Amino acid sequence: MNFQGTGSYVATEDLTVAVNAAITLQRPLLVKGEPGTGKTELARQVAAALDLPMIEWSVKSTTRAHQGLYEYDAVSRLRDSQLGDARVHDIANYIRPGKLWQAFAAEGRVVLLIDEIDKADIEFPNDLLQELDQMEFHVYETGETIRAAQRPIVIITSNNEKELPDAFLRRCFFHYIRFPDMDTMRRIVEVHHPGIKDALLTTALTQFYEIRDQQGLKKKPSTSEVLDWLKLLLAEDLSPEDLQRNGKDALPRLHGALLKNEQDVHLFERLAFMARRGG
């Protein structure tokens, strides 16, 4: 299996090397990067490119590692026992397979995405060490062992909200998705907005990178946000001249697609005020 990107996803050379290395080593691929740089979408595109089913486990702050294995529905069993249901005598009827169980039990190879692992408790990654390493786990209620017939391709994403344990990192192949440079961003935009006029794209991207480089910015706009912004510019049929800013208006046109908090909006308003005073 060899991943080279897809027609709808621009994968840089170092990213394709990382994906293929993780597949060869049969280790989880841990992908970090700014929000909006395509970490989650990478897993979907790997599945599409390799023609494999995908199982997605979206991690939340309340998610426990054991939920990825299975859950025992004791409440349903108690209710059925009160109702005299015959199913109550077989505890297996109340075992709910989790995402790892589904991936291990699949007939063929699958892509398993563990999305935003850093949202969970700090012990969450450690609680999955053996299962991801050995590709098996024990179901204590039934006494059975669930073992993967074929190792799934595991892709784990993190937004760097908290540090991950060293023991967990040792078992992963790591890749950090750097923010795209101007040329790569042009290729990404061409995939999503084919045929966009070069003059408009040059002006818009120049302005976008100037905004990202502004000192004091609390949240830098991401790839997904510039794509939304360009979609709005095209919908409004704006020209490169319409995007020009001056000292009286430092905010970009339709800035709500790029600036997502009041501190950053106020920053550009202050810059405009200072420019007017300087003028």
Side-chain angles (χ1 to χ4, degrees):
M1 292 184 174
N2 192 38
F3 174 70
Q4 296 298 330
T6 67
S8 58
Y9 188 88
V10 176
T12 57
E13 183 179 355
D14 58 340
L15 179 56
T16 59
V17 168
V19 171
N20 292 319
I23 293 174
T24 300
L25 293 173
Q26 296 188 338
R27 289 193 176 274
L29 173 63
L30 174 61
V31 184
K32 290 187 178 184
E34 293 181 29
T37 50
K39 301 185 297 296
T40 301
E41 187 62 24
L42 171 65
R44 298 176 181 140
Q45 296 299 325
V46 169
L50 303 181
D51 195 24
L52 296 176
M54 178 174 155
I55 296 174
E56 185 170 345
W57 184 14
S58 297
V59 177
K60 302 177 182 179
S61 59
T62 56
T63 303
R64 294 177 292 108
H66 199 270
Q67 292 174 305
L69 307 180
Y70 66 92
E71 292 185 276
Y72 168 47
D73 192 351
V75 174
S76 293
R77 193 181 189 198
L78 175 61
R79 182 193 63 226
D80 289 347
S81 67
Q82 294 171 339
L83 296 175
D85 194 322
R87 296 173 70 251
V88 75
H89 300 294
D90 186 358
I91 197 172
N93 292 323
Y94 304 94
I95 301 297
R96 307 289 183 249
K99 299 297 184 179
L100 265 70
W101 186 328
Q102 295 173 29
F104 291 0
E107 292 184 0
R109 202 171 195 185
V110 301
V111 174
L112 172 63
L113 168 64
I114 304 177
D115 200 22
E116 298 188 330
I117 194 172
D118 53 324
K119 279 189 174 181
D121 183 83
I122 188 62
E123 292 302 322
F124 181 91
N126 280 335
D127 291 341
L128 292 176
L129 284 180
Q130 182 172 345
E131 287 76 12
L132 291 177
D133 195 31
Q134 302 297 322
M135 286 293 161
E136 66 178 36
F137 63 90
H138 187 70
V139 182
Y140 295 98
E141 288 79 0
T142 63
E144 62 182 321
T145 297
I146 305 301
R147 185 175 293 108
Q150 293 193 52
R151 293 183 72 98
I153 297 173
V154 182
I155 298 178
I156 304 171
T157 71
S158 168
N159 287 327
N160 253 348
E161 291 184 7
K162 60 171 67 80
E163 290 294 325
L164 299 175
D166 289 344
F168 179 79
L169 295 175
R170 283 199 302 271
R171 289 166 169 81
C172 298
F173 190 93
F174 173 76
H175 181 74
Y176 183 85
I177 298 182
R178 296 182 178 86
F179 195 82
D181 57 24
M182 181 80 81
D183 290 338
T184 304
M185 187 65 79
R186 282 179 173 273
R187 292 166 54 201
I188 294 172
V189 171
E190 183 60 31
V191 168
H192 293 270
H193 303 297
I196 187 172
K197 293 181 180 179
D198 186 68
L200 175 63
L201 180 58
T202 299
T203 303
L205 289 185
T206 299
Q207 192 170 122
F208 169 72
Y209 280 98
E210 288 174 352
I211 293 170
R212 273 188 59 88
D213 293 339
Q214 177 62 52
Q215 294 294 322
L217 203 63
K218 183 177 181 180
K219 181 192 178 304
K220 295 182 178 183
S222 67
T223 304
S224 61
E225 287 160 341
V226 73
L227 292 175
D228 287 344
W229 185 50
L230 287 168
K231 184 177 181 178
L232 290 174
L233 299 183
L234 292 171
E236 294 290 330
D237 196 23
L238 298 180
S239 67
E241 292 73 24
D242 294 327
L243 300 184
Q244 296 300 325
R245 294 182 295 163
N246 52 47
K248 295 182 180 180
D249 186 12
L251 284 169
R253 293 290 294 270
L254 300 167
H255 63 270
L258 298 175
L259 305 176
K260 297 302 178 73
N261 59 70
E262 62 276 12
Q263 294 95 318
D264 291 342
V265 173
H266 291 161
L267 171 63
F268 281 91
E269 289 175 341
R270 289 196 301 271
L271 292 173
F273 175 73
M274 293 170 61
R276 287 196 296 270
R277 290 189 62 182

